[in-house]
Amino acid sequence: MLALVDIQSGNLHSVENALRAAGAADVTITADPDRISRADRIVLPGVGAFGACAANLRAVDGLESALRKRVLEDGAPFLGICVGMQLLAQHGEELGHHLGLGWFEGSVRRLDAAGTDAKVPHMGWNDVQPSGNHPLVHSGEAYFLHSFAYEGGEVIASTDHAGPVAAAIGRDNIVGVQFHPEKSQRYGLDLLSRFLKWRP
């Protein structure tokens, strides 16, 4: 069973549809810690403000600890999407200072495009440039929509928007992508298909 984590962020069904189009047969939208603790794979999508998504996640008793155990201890493959990736950081600075899950050493800060022609939010198609040969994140073009970005370690792919911006982070069985696979047409579906087969 693939658990698509429901933190009330609004883009669940488009992600579910993309996962099914990529070949997922058993997708369950849930915030139930018991179901998540039994999931074979976990996807955490997120749109909106970092603080609101973090608060929604922590509003469900036992959800954060279930994610931590299943992903960090048991090694279930995990994919974070957009704010779902940002939540992996130690903290975010959108509308205040908010604690993330702290799985990666980094922070989420507002994009700085001062003195350039680039606009914030970063919206539209842009290149994804891997820094190595990760099994999930390949080079190509993906769809981005964000005003804040991850700054820290374990960046496995970048894009360019008034300078380098983290497009993906990863370690062991965990990958987070700043772009939206569900809006990235063939590139996004191919990434999701690889995630469904991934045996880290």
Side-chain angles (χ1 to χ4, degrees):
M1 181 263 288
L2 186 152
L4 182 57
V5 184
D6 183 2
I7 56 169
Q8 307 294 314
S9 71
N11 65 335
L12 277 172
H13 291 291
S14 58
V15 175
E16 179 189 17
N17 290 339
L19 284 165
R20 293 190 186 281
D26 188 7
V27 180
T28 299
I29 295 175
T30 184
D32 182 348
D34 290 335
R35 285 190 168 188
I36 287 167
S37 69
R38 298 192 303 270
D40 300 310
R41 299 173 187 276
I42 298 171
V43 176
L44 176 63
V47 295
F50 182 105
C53 288
N56 288 346
L57 190 156
R58 293 192 168 108
V60 180
D61 188 41
L63 177 55
E64 182 176 3
S65 59
L67 285 169
R68 179 175 293 276
K69 182 181 185 306
R70 190 69 183 126
V71 177
L72 297 186
E73 296 179 23
D74 299 344
F78 175 94
L79 176 65
I81 297 174
C82 196
V83 181
M85 165 190 146
Q86 295 178 1
L87 288 174
L88 302 178
Q90 293 165 307
H91 66 271
E93 298 179 0
E94 185 173 4
L95 302 174
H97 183 95
H98 307 279
L99 291 178
L101 294 172
W103 295 2
F104 285 68
E105 290 189 14
S107 59
V108 176
R109 298 190 173 100
R110 185 170 178 81
L111 289 167
D112 182 7
T116 74
D117 292 333
K119 293 183 171 34
V120 176
H122 173 208
M123 180 171 62
W125 292 85
N126 210 338
D127 290 336
V128 176
Q129 302 165 331
S131 55
N133 295 314
H134 195 276
L136 292 194
V137 182
H138 297 178
S139 61
E141 277 194 316
Y143 187 86
F144 291 80
L145 177 54
H146 63 116
S147 299
F148 288 74
Y150 173 86
E151 298 178 7
E154 300 179 286
V155 174
I156 59 173
S158 299
T159 190
D160 181 69
H161 191 72
V165 175
I169 60 177
R171 180 185 70 246
D172 302 329
N173 57 306
I174 305 168
V175 165
V177 295
Q178 180 61 67
F179 52 86
H180 287 273
E182 77 279 10
K183 296 180 180 179
S184 297
Q185 299 179 8
R186 176 48 57 190
Y187 177 83
L189 290 179
D190 286 347
L191 182 147
L192 294 176
S193 178
R194 291 190 291 271
F195 173 72
L196 294 173
K197 300 168 186 170
W198 190 31
R199 304 283 183 208

